[in-house]
Amino acid sequence: MKNKWYQQAPVWLIILLPLSAVIAGISTVIIAHNNKVDLVAEDHVKTGKAIHADQSKSEQAVKLGISLDLTLDGTSGLISFNGGQYQPGQVLKLSFYHATLAENDFNLMLSADASGVYRFDLDQAIDGKWATRIEPFDGSWRVQEDIEFPTGKVTLDGKQ
């Protein structure tokens, strides 16, 4: 007596190979959807205008001669002015932007201690490439630089 079709090994081989390709394709789509990379902005016009505004603030920092030292050792860091025309004791906004994952971006508002040094603590140490931006609370100037962490001391000025 002959075996029925579902008892034949070659039949299952013919069915399982395409089925495994379909399952792998669906899994790939799910993984890609859940781990999106934020490299392309949704609104290109607004992004272009924001980049232009960023450049004018950086140019203002160069004009004022603003220069800052950023020191980050693990989870603790400090910022100190090297020179330039700045308002002593003003509140600074320190922003970290991850190179590819927007959900990792964060900001800190810092105030100076009695010696004019801005000290801060992070929840966890950061590493990898981060766009680092420092600006006063009023947003009148900005210094920024892409920094590969971990690093010790980095000098930021308006020149990119």
Side-chain angles (χ1 to χ4, degrees):
M1 180 175 198
K2 288 187 169 185
N3 291 339
K4 299 192 180 197
W5 71 268
Y6 54 84
Q7 294 175 332
Q8 300 291 324
V11 171
W12 286 108
L13 184 64
I14 291 171
I15 292 172
L16 289 177
L17 284 175
L19 183 63
S20 65
V22 169
I23 291 170
I26 291 171
S27 299
T28 302
V29 168
I30 290 170
I31 290 169
H33 183 293
N34 291 337
N35 298 305
K36 293 179 183 174
V37 176
D38 301 320
L39 291 178
V40 179
E42 292 291 328
D43 189 347
H44 302 291
V45 175
K46 281 186 179 177
T47 304
K49 289 179 181 178
I51 289 170
H52 182 68
D54 285 352
Q55 291 172 343
S56 66
K57 290 181 180 184
S58 295
E59 290 168 2
Q60 181 65 17
V62 171
K63 183 177 174 184
L64 295 172
I66 302 290
S67 178
L68 300 146
D69 282 336
L70 168 67
T71 306
L72 185 60
D73 183 21
T75 59
S76 62
L78 59 90
I79 296 173
S80 58
F81 279 93
N82 285 334
Q85 299 172 19
Y86 61 92
Q87 182 182 359
Q90 64 187 339
V91 175
L92 295 181
K93 179 180 175 186
L94 171 62
S95 304
F96 291 96
Y97 300 100
H98 192 271
T100 57
L101 302 172
E103 69 267 8
N104 291 348
D105 299 351
F106 63 97
N107 300 310
L108 300 170
M109 297 303 280
L110 308 174
S111 50
D113 62 14
S115 61
V117 175
Y118 297 82
R119 299 179 192 282
F120 61 93
D121 290 314
L122 303 176
D123 293 334
Q124 60 185 11
I126 59 174
D127 67 348
K129 187 174 183 177
W130 291 76
T132 307
R133 179 182 295 172
I134 302 171
E135 58 189 327
F137 184 71
D138 66 3
S140 58
W141 53 264
R142 173 179 295 147
V143 293
Q144 60 189 22
E145 188 172 328
D146 291 339
I147 301 172
E148 186 77 30
F149 290 101
T151 187
K153 185 177 184 181
V154 178
T155 299
L156 291 96
D157 52 21
K159 305 167 192 165
Q160 294 182 7

